[in-house]
Amino acid sequence: MAEKLDKEAAKQAKKEKRAAGKAKRGQIFQAFKMQRKEDKALIPWMLGSFLVVGGAVFALGWLINIPWLLLPIGIMLGLLAAVIIFGRRVQKTVFSKADGQPGAAAWALDNLRGRWRVTQTVAATTQLDAVHRVLGGPGVILVAEGAPHRVKNLLAQEKKRISRLIGETPIYDLTVGNDEGQVPLRKLQNYMMKLPRNLKPKQVDALEAKLSALGTRGAAMPKGPMPQGAKMRNVQRTIRRR
């Protein structure tokens, strides 16, 4: 009986795995179709990268007298290069659409690669300015988005509030934007990765426990970048009611 149940469970798991794989391939195909409509250079870039990488590996094979042995490797590496180009161009399109919209920095922080602890909107205004808190190896990073003259005060107040709890733990602050002294949305990940690593994982855990007691100040921000064309007055009215 137990053996029969194990076989059924394995069969069900395999079925679910196939369904998940099919769904993922469908999502990739949909993303490709959408990107191709907006990015006319996508196909030339992908095809060019495939031919250049594959051709280079095949040419290397001719030089060392094993061209047909290296041909399958060249094809695989060429396909990998094309996939990388596709991913980067999709990412560029997504970031360009989100850039400048309220909630874009919060969305980008939620999509950071690595072991970051993100707390969205620890401080905000009804004008959709916000400060988000990130914990990680560097220490505490306060990421602001919104009008510079307003977020400057938000950052200063939040920095003062946090410093009372964490002592000498490093606190970094930045504002996401395209003006001088700001960090562009598309470069946020790289900027965070370049910060010095001051804390070990256990220290980050202890830091998170200390800051978990702090509440948020101000209004709640929308989840993700606000769609283009949304009426600012309606959004602000909704925020005031929360």
Side-chain angles (χ1 to χ4, degrees):
M1 185 67 178
E3 186 177 349
K4 184 178 179 180
L5 290 174
D6 289 342
K7 286 183 179 180
E8 289 179 357
K11 187 177 180 180
Q12 182 64 26
K14 189 179 290 186
K15 185 178 179 180
E16 290 176 356
K17 186 176 181 181
R18 283 199 300 266
K22 185 178 180 180
K24 188 175 182 180
R25 288 192 296 271
Q27 290 173 356
I28 293 173
F29 183 66
Q30 288 297 323
F32 175 78
K33 283 177 32 178
M34 292 175 63
Q35 182 67 18
R36 187 178 60 177
K37 288 180 182 179
E38 299 187 14
D39 185 2
K40 302 302 181 183
L42 176 65
I43 299 298
W45 269 100
M46 291 180 67
L47 183 60
S49 62
F50 172 77
L51 293 175
V52 168
V53 173
V57 175
F58 187 68
L60 178 63
W62 273 109
L63 290 175
I64 58 179
N65 205 29
I66 51 169
W68 303 112
L69 187 61
L70 289 186
L71 180 60
I73 298 175
I75 292 173
M76 288 189 292
L77 291 177
L79 288 172
L80 178 61
V83 169
I84 291 172
I85 290 293
F86 167 65
R88 288 185 176 178
R89 293 187 77 85
V90 168
Q91 185 181 53
K92 183 179 178 181
T93 298
V94 170
F95 274 95
S96 65
K97 285 186 174 182
D99 196 14
Q101 298 181 42
W107 165 79
L109 290 172
D110 268 351
N111 288 278
L112 286 175
R113 297 186 301 273
R115 299 178 64 181
W116 303 98
R117 323 283 177 87
V118 179
T119 304
Q120 290 190 14
T121 322
V122 293
T125 69
T126 54
Q127 290 83 18
L128 303 182
D129 312 297
V131 173
H132 314 290
R133 186 177 68 229
V134 184
L135 307 182
V140 179
I141 306 111
L142 298 177
V143 180
E145 58 177 322
H149 64 282
R150 290 194 297 261
V151 298
K152 184 178 180 180
N153 291 332
L154 280 180
L155 280 171
Q157 292 170 14
E158 190 62 25
K159 202 169 184 177
K160 184 177 181 181
R161 191 165 76 119
I162 289 174
S163 62
R164 294 170 182 167
L165 284 178
I166 64 174
E168 296 182 357
T169 301
I171 302 176
Y172 302 88
D173 62 83
L174 64 98
T175 302
V176 173
N178 298 309
D179 295 334
E180 186 177 354
Q182 297 180 337
V183 179
L185 186 68
R186 67 183 185 279
K187 295 183 178 180
L188 182 59
Q189 170 83 37
N190 290 338
Y191 182 92
M192 303 272 285
M193 295 301 295
K194 289 179 181 179
L195 292 174
R197 293 299 184 262
N198 302 306
L199 304 180
K200 295 180 180 179
K202 288 185 178 180
Q203 292 175 303
V204 177
D205 292 339
L207 183 62
E208 185 176 28
K210 282 184 180 180
L211 294 177
S212 62
L214 285 177
T216 59
R217 298 183 298 113
M221 286 286 287
K223 296 294 183 181
M226 192 176 72
Q228 291 182 353
K231 294 183 178 180
M232 183 68 73
R233 289 182 181 177
N234 292 344
V235 175
Q236 290 174 342
R237 191 179 301 118
T238 302
I239 287 174
R240 290 191 188 101
R241 290 173 181 169
R242 292 181 181 177

